Amino acid sequence: MGEGEGKPGKGTTQPEGAPGEITVLLIEARSGDPNARDRLFESVYAELKTLARREVRRHSASATLGATALVHEAYLRLVDQTRADWNDRGHFFAVAARAMRQIVIDHARRKGAAKRGAGDRAVPLEEGHASVEASLDDVIAVDEALTRLAETSPRLVQVVELCFFAGLTTEEAAEALSTSPATVKRDWRKAKALLFAMIRPEP
Amino acid sequence: MYEELARLWPAVERILDEVLDLPEPGRTARALAACDGDPALERAIRAVLRADDESRGFLERE
């Protein structure tokens, strides 16, 4: 022993899931293999979490999570672009958006627990047309409302994950959902109205 | 209100897809006309259009 941590194939600069592995999982998930889908999510989640931790360390005062930048960086690091096609890019974004939601919520809950009683501390999520400067309570409320929304329209939930939690542009979200930007815009508006109706009920 | 919206969502969404991009007052008028006099659907439509107006800045950066 003495050198390394006994994790084969994991060099100091190598991300959690090597490009080849994620690309293969993307291609297998495309063909509908549920096992590949689960492993893909786990690998993307682990990589995004590593990148997010590094971000948080770098800006420890503000604890900024630049969701858009993280998702794009993860894509460049994880996906072998000579082997993956355009659909795989969209699919990767969809998986990464779901993982980002999980990470953002875990982050908000941890900060919420740490800061409880200290008022409503902001969690800045940067970039993207739809991203947020949302309070901890807002982010957690959105997550809970999304869980309810999933029973009514899983598609609208995906749009929110892509536009809000991953901070993707309308065009990128459209690519991930294999639909048009106009449809994403309309779905985003419908999703916001429904979430708003849940979170800010009329008096 | 959300419960009612969720219950009627397929019909509500169909109407929204037709009217969402229209300017007022035509938007509400056309949406209500599409309810065929169903009072529950009319209530849901009024609620979702109001939520759409009020949620413009919600979850948006600017």
Side-chain angles (χ1 to χ4, degrees), chain A residues 178-192:
Chain A
S178 306
T179 185
S180 70
T183 299
V184 168
K185 273 192 192 144
R186 211 166 40 234
D187 283 350
W188 169 240
R189 240 172 104 181
K190 288 185 277 187
K192 281 204 307 175

Side-chain angles (χ1 to χ4, degrees), chain B residues 3-24:
Chain B
E3 287 71 22
E4 182 112 311
L5 265 177
R7 188 171 63 80
L8 299 171
W9 182 244
V12 170
E13 184 171 36
R14 229 177 358 258
I15 294 171
L16 280 182
D17 284 339
E18 278 176 41
V19 306
L20 217 47
D21 294 326
L22 300 177
E24 289 294 6

Side-chain angles (χ1 to χ4, degrees), chain A residues 149 152-153 155-156 186-187 189-195 197, chain B residues 1-21 27-28 30-36 38-52:
Chain A
L149 182 60
T152 304
S153 176
R155 197 187 70 254
L156 293 186
R186 211 166 40 234
D187 283 350
R189 240 172 104 181
K190 288 185 277 187
K192 281 204 307 175
L194 288 179
L195 294 175
Chain B
M1 188 66 237
Y2 176 74
E3 287 71 22
E4 182 112 311
L5 265 177
R7 188 171 63 80
L8 299 171
W9 182 244
V12 170
E13 184 171 36
R14 229 177 358 258
I15 294 171
L16 280 182
D17 284 339
E18 278 176 41
V19 306
L20 217 47
D21 294 326
R27 181 177 80 146
T28 299
R30 172 121 175 241
L32 290 175
C35 294
D36 282 332
D38 178 337
L41 190 53
E42 284 178 5
R43 261 198 316 277
I45 284 293
R46 284 186 197 280
V48 79
L49 290 180
R50 191 165 58 241
D52 174 55

Side-chain angles (χ1 to χ4, degrees), chain A residues 45-46 48-57 60 62-65 70 99-119 121-123 125 135-137 139-140 143-144:
Chain A
Y45 175 87
L48 279 170
K49 205 163 172 188
T50 304
L51 294 176
R53 274 209 203 96
R54 191 201 59 192
E55 272 315 281
V56 168
R57 263 201 308 277
S60 55
S62 64
T64 296
L65 284 178
L70 292 185
M100 267 322 292
R101 174 181 169 191
Q102 190 65 54
I103 288 166
V104 166
I105 292 307
D106 290 348
H107 180 72
R109 287 195 202 285
R110 257 198 324 276
K111 295 228 85 147
K115 299 278 171 194
R116 191 129 305 147
R121 178 101 192 280
V123 182
L125 306 170
S135 75
L136 291 173
D137 289 347
V139 171
I140 291 168
D143 180 63
E144 287 167 358

